């Protein structure tokens, strides 16, 4: 949405939430978007994995366990909150755009989550777009008419369509 401020047309700030199960493809996509737009990249793994591995490893003996109750109920929610706190710090600083890389599988399963996030961001002049990167063999999520599914975006601007969610397959399969 464009707004008029003091006679000047202003684009909203953008928060691009790059989501999906495949970490490598997700971070590659996020890095490309961040680089193309000269925006900062916030990756949940880079931000929190050392601490998460330490906590989970001490408790379970397996620092890479992502199925333990401890990880699912304490560590993972704390990781997401730390990431969102950092996003809000970027918004407060007036950064024009931020690219976020995180699985966000459980959040995106709840339609209200993105709606509430966009409402809160809108109060600050920002909008969130979700780029869901499909893993090998993963079917595109069910997308209602307000959403788009792209096999391979022709250009970064294609990600900023009127939709709030985009599903892409980075390999074009």
């Amino acid at each position: 949405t464009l707004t008029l401020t003091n006679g000047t047309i202003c684009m909203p700030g953008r928060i691009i939430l790059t989501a999906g199960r495949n970490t490598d493809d997700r971070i590659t996509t996020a890095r490309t978007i961040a680089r193309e737009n000269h925006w900062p990249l916030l990756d949940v793994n880079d931000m929190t994995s050392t601490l998460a591995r330490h906590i989970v490893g001490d408790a379970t003996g397996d620092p890479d366990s992502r199925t333990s109750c401890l990880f699912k109920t304490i560590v993972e929610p704390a990781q997401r909150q730390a990431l969102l706190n950092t996003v809000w710090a970027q918004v407060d600083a007036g950064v024009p755009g931020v690219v976020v890389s995180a699985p966000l599988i459980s959040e995106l399963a709840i339609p209200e989550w993105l709606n509430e996030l966009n409402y809160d961001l809108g109060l600050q002049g920002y909008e969130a777009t979700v780029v869901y990167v499909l893993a090998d063999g993963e079917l595109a999520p069910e997308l209602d008419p307000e959403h788009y599914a792209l096999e391979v975006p022709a250009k970064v601007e294609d990600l900023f369509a009127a939709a709030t969610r985009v599903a892409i397959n980075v390999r074009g399969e």
Side-chain angles (χ1 to χ4, degrees), residues 119-131:
Y119 175 80
D120 292 340
L121 287 170
L123 295 174
Q124 301 295 323
Y126 283 76
E127 293 177 354
T129 298
V130 175
V131 177

Side-chain angles (χ1 to χ4, degrees), residues 7 17 30 37 40 50 55 66 76 101 104 112 132 140 146 161 171:
L17 303 169
N37 291 282
T50 301
I55 293 169
R66 298 296 179 258
E76 192 173 40
S101 175
L104 300 174
E112 295 80 25
Y132 188 89
E146 73 181 73
R171 291 194 173 87

Side-chain angles (χ1 to χ4, degrees), residues 17 27 33 48 52 79 85:
L17 303 169
I27 193 66
I33 296 168
T48 63
Q79 285 180 301
N85 289 347

Side-chain angles (χ1 to χ4, degrees), residues 70-140:
L70 170 73
F71 181 80
K72 296 275 186 202
T73 60
I74 296 173
V75 174
E76 192 173 40
Q79 285 180 301
R80 284 192 303 267
Q81 191 58 53
L83 183 66
L84 287 173
N85 289 347
T86 307
V87 168
W88 281 109
Q90 299 293 305
V91 168
D92 290 342
V95 174
V98 177
V99 180
V100 175
S101 175
L104 300 174
I105 305 301
S106 57
E107 290 82 0
L108 294 176
I110 305 166
E112 295 80 25
W113 182 83
L114 184 58
N115 293 337
E116 289 175 15
L117 179 63
N118 260 323
Y119 175 80
D120 292 340
L121 287 170
L123 295 174
Q124 301 295 323
Y126 283 76
E127 293 177 354
T129 298
V130 175
V131 177
Y132 188 89
V133 181
L134 300 172
D136 289 341
E138 184 178 11
L139 298 175

Side-chain angles (χ1 to χ4, degrees), residues 42-61:
L42 303 175
D43 176 48
V44 71
N45 293 329
D46 287 346
M47 290 177 59
T48 63
S49 66
T50 301
L51 181 59
R53 289 181 48 128
H54 179 73
I55 293 169
V56 172
D58 281 355
T60 69

Side-chain angles (χ1 to χ4, degrees), residues 6-46:
N6 298 328
T8 304
I9 296 177
C10 298
M11 292 290 291
R14 290 280 184 183
I15 306 298
I16 306 300
L17 303 169
T18 311
R21 288 177 169 75
N22 185 309
T23 303
D24 292 336
D25 288 348
R26 185 182 70 235
I27 193 66
T28 298
T29 301
R31 282 185 183 132
T32 300
I33 296 168
R35 184 179 58 247
E36 292 278 329
N37 291 282
H38 307 285
W39 292 345
L41 170 62
L42 303 175
D43 176 48
V44 71
N45 293 329
D46 287 346

